[in-house]
């Protein structure tokens, strides 16, 4: 059904349409509408779920762990301080191989308090074993939340999935959204092979010696690796059934581009407008939008031989932009020319804490790019 | 009656809503505490009320900390000041959510360790900063954005929890009685050790009443016996201010409930439970006060 | 692309108004987005909302810098905020005011949304509801159709005084 929705409401609607069984969540700006909408859906009977209004995020993920351990479909949502407050549980839920789905409204961390968009919150969780998607429209938020349940619950994956929405920019924007009236069997019933079974008692998370621990960790990596095929299948089947196509990443005018802007979230959409402007000036620009950060896609072919400008709405202090470093690592060969010389990505740090970044600013980043350089947008010393 | 100093530590440039009790409470707390004071503030409306960088509306140092951690940060700060011989007041100023829900572990720990600090919980009975979701301190029957049909559970009895830690001083207060609040803060800060004050803080947008009625609402809460004013010094209970009269004869609770939009959908059962709860609390306090008086006479 | 910047105070319903305008444009068969921009202040502080309307999907998330139309729900904001900032030379202004206003060379629509709301007793928590009558005024200015304005309102508000208020604003406002 064609409707009009905010990003937050899109997530809550997908949670309803997926017939989620347990939702445990704690309010935090700018995610709160997801919690409120879900509370409303449960109160009105539109969603026959148990909604647990927990007392903190450590407990929201705790409750999700407990629920998912019994084998039911489980969801939570959070943002910034909430996400890092549940950090222990983030690691534990992944290592427990629980198919929990969570929406995260990307927001800066304090101090000072700031409720604007920033990706450092979720990207600082990238080593936990959670799959991570970054969406850029209300429609994509709805669609990806639905897919997330299928991907997380797949027996070859059994890892939690985080869907990231830029705080305010996407959580609060109202856009057209087409909801799916009948999912058919797109989402098979949750079937967690290691769900608690009274008839098959055993210890979960039992003391594990050094001779065994690493095997469990290696198994997470295997799940992560296998998840690529599962994601691709979930996306292809989604396109076939519902007509909307998604990839591991999304390309805009990249084929003939001399310079490619790489970004995640809403900045990548805004970059498309910048690319249009640059093309009018004769600069052949394209945009590559990172949709899945974990598992991280192979971008070598996509970026081979191009100038690359990476916009990070995040930072790893002492290293650099997180995206640009992931890209340098995973697509290193793309940046080495036939002559053996390197043409490294230009790194731009922009949009932290909701800093205003326009398509004109992005066009400027491209015009002023320097191979291997780093620019902090707005810093003037 | 105490002479309330003219000196202001909360300037008129706060970003609070009109009729905000939290900013009123903060004003009297800082007047009582004076200049040698540090405020430790977790995420709550007061994070916003104090203003936006590079400005601040508060004229004592304010340390803004993670939502769950006010009492823990205050522990470290207090120990550090005392270690170098400083008497600086360390005051946590936290909302009900930051106290009864996410912050209760840190509060319990700090009280149990005998930390020399004052913890003030201003209680607007919801998460107001994020737009009025339920908290553990929301009363039964109250509508919030996460209890669209009214809350089904009782308000958590924070005072009983704190009392179980045997703090050297604890009290309740209400923004509508600032002199009573001022006196309690003064007294608390004169005693070393862990102190706690729980202040009812009517919130116009959260409770849905016109902002000019904020004092009236606080008074109705106390005269109806929905909120009781008292203090305990090393366990010794004293009923204070308007609650002395209210415990003998209270005004109808309905007057308090009807003045607020959040109770509009409260069921008769909800209202009966609210009344029952208030009656039980009053009876318990009256009984305890009597028993203590009798004990004192015997001695 | 047609870009609207809406100035209101927290609690006046400006954010909902922006959504309703975008929704009506969407019902007219256009692409539309609405975005609120919150300051850090509590209730009563100035709030800005942005509405974009286009024939193609909208990929811009940054703020509107050069609006075609500025809407002012509370003229007292004009004392502290330059509501005309960036307004296109041929840009228009729509103010909630009983009286006509002169603002440079810009075409200024005026309508007494507050009076309309009060006359129908459309009041919430002591504040007159301005967003639904506003839709009538925006329709009169030719930005959305009258039918879609009504549809958008009734999809959100059950009380038919809201559509009545919109009709009244539509009829009252000079084109
Ligand atoms: C770990 C964490 N979770 C959630 C939040 C979001 N948050 C900020 S203030 C607040 C509610 C505060 O409620 P309360 O303590 O009652 O204070 P009030 O806002 O009512 O003054 C919430 C949920 C946060 N800042 N940090
Ligand atoms: S929401 Fe309530 S507590 Fe918060 S600033 Fe406004 S009146 Fe004060
Ligand atoms: Mg509160």
């Amino acid at each position: 059904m064609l409707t009009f929705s905010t990003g937050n409401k899109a997530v809550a609607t997908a949670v309803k349409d997926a017939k989620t069984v347990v939702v445990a969540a704690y309010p935090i700006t700018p995610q709160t509408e997801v919690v409120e909408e879900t509370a409303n859906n449960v109160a009105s009977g539109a969603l026959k779920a148990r909604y647990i209004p927990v007392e903190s995020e450590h407990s929201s993920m705790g409750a999700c762990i407990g629920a998912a351990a019994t084998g039911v479909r489980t969801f939570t949502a959070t943002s910034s301080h909430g996400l890092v407050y549940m950090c222990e549980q983030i690691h534990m839920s992944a290592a427990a191989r629980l198919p929990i789905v969570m929406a995260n409204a990307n927001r800066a961390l304090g101090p000072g308090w700031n409720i604007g968009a920033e990706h450092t919150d979720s990207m600082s969780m990238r080593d936990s074993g959670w799959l991570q998607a970054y969406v850029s429209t209300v429609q994509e938020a709805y669609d990806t939340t639905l897919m997330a349940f299928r991907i997380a619950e797949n027996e070859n994956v059994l890892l939690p999935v985080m869907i990231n929405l830029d705080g305010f920019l996407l959580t609060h924007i109202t856009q057209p959204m087409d909801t799916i009236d009948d999912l058919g069997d797109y989402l098979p019933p949750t079937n967690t092979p290691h769900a608690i079974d009274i008839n098959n008692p055993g210890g979960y998370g039992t003391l594990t010696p050094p001779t065994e621990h690493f095997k469990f960790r290696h198994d997470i990596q295997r799940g992560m690796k296998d998840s690529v095929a599962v994601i691709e299948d979930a996306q292809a089947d989604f396109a076939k059934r519902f007509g909307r196509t998604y990839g591991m990443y999304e390309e805009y005018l990249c084929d003939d581009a001399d310079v490619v802007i790489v970004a995640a979230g809403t900045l990548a959409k805004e970059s498309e407008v910048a690319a249009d402007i640059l093309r009018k000036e004769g600069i052949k620009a394209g945009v590559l939008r990172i949709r899945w950060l974990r598992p991280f896609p192979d971008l070598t072919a996509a970026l081979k031989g191009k100038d690359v400008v990476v916009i990070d709405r995040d930072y790893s202090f002492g290293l650099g932009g997180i995206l640009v470093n992931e890209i340098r690592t995973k697509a290193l060969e793309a940046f080495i020319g036939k002559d053996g010389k390197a043409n490294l990505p230009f790194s731009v740090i922009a949009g932290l804490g909701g800093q205003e970044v326009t398509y004109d600013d992005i066009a400027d980043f491209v015009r002023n790019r320097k191979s291997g350089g780093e620019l902090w947008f707005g810093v003037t010393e | 009656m105490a002479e309330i100093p003219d000196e202001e530590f909360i300037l008129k440039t706060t970003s609070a809503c009109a009729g905000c009790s939290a900013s009123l409470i903060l004003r009297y707390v800082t007047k009582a505490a004076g200049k040698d004071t540090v405020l430790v503030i977790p995420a709550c409306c007061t994070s916003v009320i104090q203003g936006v960088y590079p400005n601040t509306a508060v004229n004592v140092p304010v340390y803004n900390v993670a939502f769950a951690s006010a009492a823990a940060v205050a522990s470290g700060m207090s120990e550090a000041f005392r270690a170098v011989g400083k008497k600086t007041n360390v005051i946590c100023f936290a909302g009900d959510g930051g106290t009864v829900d996410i912050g209760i572990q840190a509060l319990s720990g700090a009280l149990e360790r005998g930390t020399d600090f004052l913890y003030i919980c201003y209680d607007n009975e919801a998460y107001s900063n994020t737009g009025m979701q339920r908290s553990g301190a929301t009363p039964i029957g109250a509508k919030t954005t996460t209890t669209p049909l009214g809350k089904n559970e009782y308000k958590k009895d924070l005072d009983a929890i704190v009392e179980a830690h045997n703090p050297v001083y604890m009290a309740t207060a209400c923004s509508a009685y600032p002199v009573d609040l001022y006196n309690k803060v003064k007294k608390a800060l004169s005693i070393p050790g862990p102190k706690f004050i729980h202040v009812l803080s009517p919130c116009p947008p959260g409770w849905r009443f016109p902002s000019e009625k904020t004092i009236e609402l606080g008074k109705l809460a106390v005269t109806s016996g929905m909120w009781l004013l008292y203090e305990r010094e090393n366990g010794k209970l004293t009923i204070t201010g308007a609650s002395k009269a209210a415990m003998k004869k209270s005004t109808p609770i309905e007057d308090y409930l009807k003045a607020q939009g959040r109770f509009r959908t409260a069921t008769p059962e909800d209202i009966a439970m609210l009344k029952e709860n208030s009656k039980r609390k009053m009876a318990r306090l009256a009984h305890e006060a009597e028993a203590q008086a009798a004990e004192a006479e015997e001695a | 692309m047609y870009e609207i910047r809406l100035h209101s105070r927290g609690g006046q319903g400006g954010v909902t108004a922006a959504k309703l305008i975008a929704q009506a444009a969407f019902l007219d068969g256009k692409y539309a987005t609405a975005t609120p921009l919150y300051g850090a202040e509590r209730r009563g502080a100035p709030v800005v909302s942005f509405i974009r309307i286009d024939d193609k999907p909208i990929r811009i998330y940054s703020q509107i810098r050069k609006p075609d139309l500025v809407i002012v729900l509370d003229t007292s904001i004009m004392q502290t905020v330059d509501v005309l900032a960036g307004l296109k030379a041929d840009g228009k202004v729509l103010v909630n005011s009983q009286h006509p206003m002169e603002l440079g060379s810009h075409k200024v629509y005026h309508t007494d949304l507050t009076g309309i709301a009060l006359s129908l007793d459309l009041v919430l928590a002591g504040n007159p509801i301005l967003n639904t009558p506003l839709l009538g005024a925006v329709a009169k200015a030719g930005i959305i159709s009258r039918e879609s304005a009504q549809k958008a309102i009734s999809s959100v508000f059950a009380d038919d005084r809201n559509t009545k208020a919109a009709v009244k604003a539509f009829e009252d406002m000079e084109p």
Side-chain angles (χ1 to χ4, degrees):
Chain A
M1 190 174 65
L2 206 52
T3 58
F4 213 57
S5 170
T6 61
N8 277 335
K9 197 172 164 191
V11 170
T13 307
V15 168
K16 169 176 75 62
D17 291 351
K19 300 196 170 52
T20 309
V21 178
V22 174
V23 178
Y26 195 70
I28 179 164
T29 308
Q31 148 273 27
T32 306
E33 191 189 3
V34 180
V35 184
E36 293 174 341
E37 189 67 19
T38 300
N40 273 319
N41 286 339
V42 171
S44 74
L47 173 62
K48 285 185 187 44
R50 297 290 176 122
Y51 159 63
I52 312 176
V54 283
E55 75 290 347
S56 81
E57 289 85 359
H58 198 275
S59 295
S60 59
M61 191 50 73
C64 285
I65 288 172
T70 73
V72 303
R73 186 162 292 161
T74 306
F75 174 82
T76 187
T78 191
S79 174
S80 68
H81 283 265
L83 183 70
V84 298
Y85 191 59
M86 65 167 73
C87 179
E88 180 186 21
Q89 306 283 48
I90 293 282
H91 284 264
M92 290 196 75
S93 49
R97 308 302 299 266
L98 296 170
I100 297 161
V101 172
M102 169 163 70
N104 178 56
N106 287 112
R107 166 188 148 180
L109 293 160
W113 290 123
N114 174 301
I115 52 177
E118 187 171 323
H119 295 160
T120 314
D121 58 355
S122 52
M123 289 195 182
S124 75
M125 300 292 153
R126 68 194 188 282
D127 304 336
S128 62
W130 277 68
L131 278 67
Q132 285 198 28
Y134 289 75
V135 298
S136 63
T137 65
V138 169
Q139 184 70 60
E140 191 187 0
Y142 174 80
D143 294 348
T144 309
T145 305
L146 286 175
M147 289 177 205
F149 289 107
R150 167 156 155 167
I151 296 162
E153 292 170 8
N154 185 289
E155 60 176 355
N156 293 329
V157 180
L158 289 172
L159 286 169
V161 179
M162 188 189 307
I163 302 120
N164 291 285
L165 294 79
D166 283 337
F168 288 104
L169 296 166
L170 187 54
T171 56
H172 282 60
I173 198 169
T174 306
Q175 291 177 339
M177 171 176 81
D178 201 1
T179 57
I180 298 165
D181 301 326
D182 181 8
L183 278 169
D185 56 0
Y186 181 76
L187 284 185
T190 311
N191 179 16
T192 311
H194 56 304
I196 290 173
D197 180 357
I198 297 302
N199 297 317
N200 182 18
Y204 292 80
T206 317
L207 193 62
T208 309
T211 49
E212 301 302 317
H213 170 85
F214 65 90
K215 294 179 189 167
F216 287 103
R217 293 300 168 270
H218 181 253
D219 232 36
I220 296 177
Q221 173 53 16
R222 185 155 34 201
M224 209 29 112
K225 218 163 138 195
D226 291 349
S227 74
V228 176
V230 175
I231 292 169
E232 281 172 349
D233 173 64
Q235 292 179 154
D237 193 25
F238 194 91
K240 203 168 90 201
R241 290 175 192 240
F242 312 120
R244 290 187 292 273
T245 309
Y246 298 96
M248 293 300 291
Y249 52 88
E250 182 185 71
E251 289 179 292
Y252 178 73
L253 307 180
C254 283
D255 283 351
D256 68 336
D258 296 325
V259 50
V260 174
I261 307 163
V262 183
T266 56
L267 269 179
K269 279 279 160 218
E270 184 106 12
S271 297
E272 294 183 8
V273 181
D276 292 347
I277 293 170
L278 290 164
R279 281 192 175 247
K280 281 190 194 131
E281 291 172 12
I283 300 174
K284 277 201 217 153
V287 181
L288 188 150
R289 180 170 68 83
I290 299 286
R291 204 171 109 76
W292 289 93
L293 183 85
R294 286 292 180 276
F296 198 83
D298 189 347
L299 304 175
T300 314
L303 299 179
K304 184 96 192 150
K306 320 244 185 213
D307 282 6
V308 175
V309 176
V310 181
I311 310 176
D312 268 289
R313 197 188 265 282
D314 55 76
Y315 204 71
S316 176
F317 301 106
L319 178 67
I322 294 172
L323 262 188
V324 75
N325 277 288
E326 305 266 278
I327 292 165
R328 276 180 194 155
T329 310
K330 278 290 273 190
L332 184 63
E333 282 163 34
F335 308 120
I336 313 292
K338 283 203 193 83
D339 52 1
K341 279 200 192 127
N343 178 17
L344 292 175
F346 178 50
S347 162
V348 180
I349 313 303
L352 302 190
Q355 181 192 30
E356 174 78 350
V357 184
T358 70
Y359 47 84
D360 283 334
D361 299 325
I362 297 169
D364 270 344
F365 302 155
V366 172
R367 291 184 197 109
N368 302 325
R369 66 190 181 278
K370 284 188 206 76
S371 170
E374 181 184 275
L375 169 82
W376 277 71
F377 178 51
V379 175
T380 51
E381 11 111 289
Chain B
M1 199 203 281
E3 186 76 8
I4 294 186
D6 290 333
E7 188 171 5
E8 297 285 353
F9 295 94
I10 307 302
L11 312 178
K12 285 190 178 133
T13 52
T14 70
S15 323
C17 311
C20 174
S21 312
S23 53
L24 186 73
I25 295 166
L26 191 58
R27 187 167 161 231
Y28 283 92
V29 167
T30 48
K31 274 176 184 276
K35 191 172 161 359
D36 191 12
T37 298
V38 179
L39 293 174
V40 177
I41 301 186
C44 59
C45 269
T46 315
S47 322
V48 180
I49 290 171
Q50 61 189 270
V52 179
Y53 174 85
N55 301 310
T56 173
V58 185
N59 214 1
V60 294
V62 178
Y63 216 77
N64 288 289
V65 303
F67 197 17
S69 71
V73 173
S75 297
M77 208 173 265
S78 167
E79 294 298 341
F81 279 138
R82 304 305 172 253
V84 296
K86 288 189 181 155
K87 291 206 171 91
T88 306
N89 299 314
V90 177
I91 303 181
C92 289
F93 193 77
D96 48 296
T99 305
V100 308
D101 292 339
I102 198 167
I104 194 99
Q105 173 176 333
L107 173 60
S108 175
L111 291 173
E112 186 271 337
R113 290 188 301 269
T115 307
D116 182 21
F117 80 134
L118 168 61
Y119 192 106
I120 293 179
C121 170
Y122 69 95
D123 187 353
N124 52 23
E125 303 191 319
Y127 297 159
S128 293
N129 173 287
T130 38
M132 324 306 170
Q133 297 78 33
R134 94 197 269 288
S135 80
T138 302
I140 211 163
K143 205 166 142 167
T144 68
T145 59
T146 46
T147 54
L149 307 175
K151 193 186 171 200
N152 288 324
E153 301 82 17
Y154 280 113
K155 181 180 173 81
K156 211 186 262 192
D157 192 346
L158 173 62
D159 303 329
I161 296 170
V162 171
E163 195 194 326
H165 291 77
N166 295 308
V168 289
Y169 179 88
M170 66 177 285
T172 60
C174 171
S175 55
Y177 301 93
V179 177
D180 178 66
L181 168 66
Y182 175 89
N183 289 336
K184 285 170 176 168
V185 174
K186 267 268 184 254
K187 189 183 280 181
L189 291 173
S190 72
I191 311 169
K195 286 88 60 178
F196 171 85
I197 304 180
H198 188 187
V199 195
L200 186 70
S201 180
C203 162
W207 296 12
R208 303 197 210 167
F209 64 83
S211 47
E212 65 275 12
K213 296 231 154 109
T214 194
I215 297 297
E216 196 180 317
L217 249 295
K219 288 195 167 157
L220 280 173
V222 172
T223 57
S224 66
M226 276 292 281
W227 189 258
L228 303 170
L229 303 176
Y230 63 89
E231 64 183 0
R232 288 177 196 279
E233 293 172 71
N234 282 313
K236 190 187 170 310
L237 173 72
T238 313
I239 312 293
T240 67
S243 285
K244 280 184 264 183
M247 282 183 51
K248 293 202 181 88
K249 189 175 168 19
S250 51
T251 57
I253 279 179
E254 282 84 353
D255 292 353
Y256 172 66
L257 302 180
K258 276 195 191 125
Q260 308 169 55
R262 64 175 172 155
F263 288 111
R264 202 156 294 147
T265 51
T267 62
E269 293 78 44
D270 293 336
I271 294 172
M273 281 195 265
L274 286 169
K275 281 186 173 168
E276 177 59 35
N277 208 24
S278 141
K279 225 196 254 163
R280 209 182 301 142
K281 255 189 143 170
M282 279 202 271
R284 212 175 61 200
L285 277 187
H287 181 257
E288 193 186 334
E290 265 165 39
Q292 285 193 355
E295 231 172 73
E297 212 154 275
E298 252 170 55
Chain C
M1 180 157 10
Y2 194 80
E3 298 186 307
I4 307 173
R5 191 174 63 215
L6 193 159
H7 295 269
S8 61
R9 284 192 188 280
Q12 282 182 329
V15 175
T16 307
K19 276 191 202 179
L20 288 172
I21 293 168
Q23 190 173 352
F26 172 61
L27 292 170
D28 283 336
K30 305 266 180 55
Y31 287 94
T33 62
T35 314
L37 179 70
Y38 294 100
E41 266 99 309
R42 307 298 309 170
R43 260 191 152 202
V47 181
V48 181
S49 307
F50 303 112
I51 303 135
R52 287 190 165 96
I53 304 172
D54 204 352
D55 299 323
K56 329 185 273 296
I58 297 161
R59 301 169 296 177
I60 304 175
Y61 288 83
S62 55
Q63 297 168 24
I64 290 174
R65 287 164 291 160
K66 294 178 189 135
D68 298 278
L69 174 70
V70 166
I71 299 174
V72 185
L73 279 189
D74 185 336
T75 50
S76 74
I77 291 173
M78 295 161 92
Q79 292 160 13
T80 51
V81 177
D82 177 13
V83 299
L84 300 183
L87 181 61
K88 285 184 182 156
D90 59 349
K92 298 173 183 172
V93 187
L94 195 165
V95 290
N96 170 22
S97 158
Q98 284 178 318
H99 310 290
M101 254 189 204
E102 237 175 76
L103 295 168
S105 58
H106 296 289
K107 158 87 182 163
V108 183
Y109 301 101
H110 76 277
T111 167
D112 182 15
L113 302 173
T114 310
I116 292 171
L118 292 177
S119 73
L120 289 161
D121 203 22
L122 265 180
V123 180
L124 189 73
N127 295 319
I129 295 175
L130 306 178
N131 46 27
T132 48
L134 174 67
L135 251 72
V138 174
K140 187 65 163 276
I143 292 145
I144 50 175
S145 72
R146 192 181 158 146
E147 296 71 36
S148 297
Q150 281 185 343
K151 260 195 222 156
I153 292 172
S154 47
S155 76
V156 179
F157 299 96
D159 189 334
D160 71 349
R161 283 177 301 171
N162 288 292
T163 27
K164 276 192 192 135
V167 170
K168 187 149 171 39
F170 187 92
E171 281 162 3
D172 284 6
M173 195 176 91
E174 280 171 37

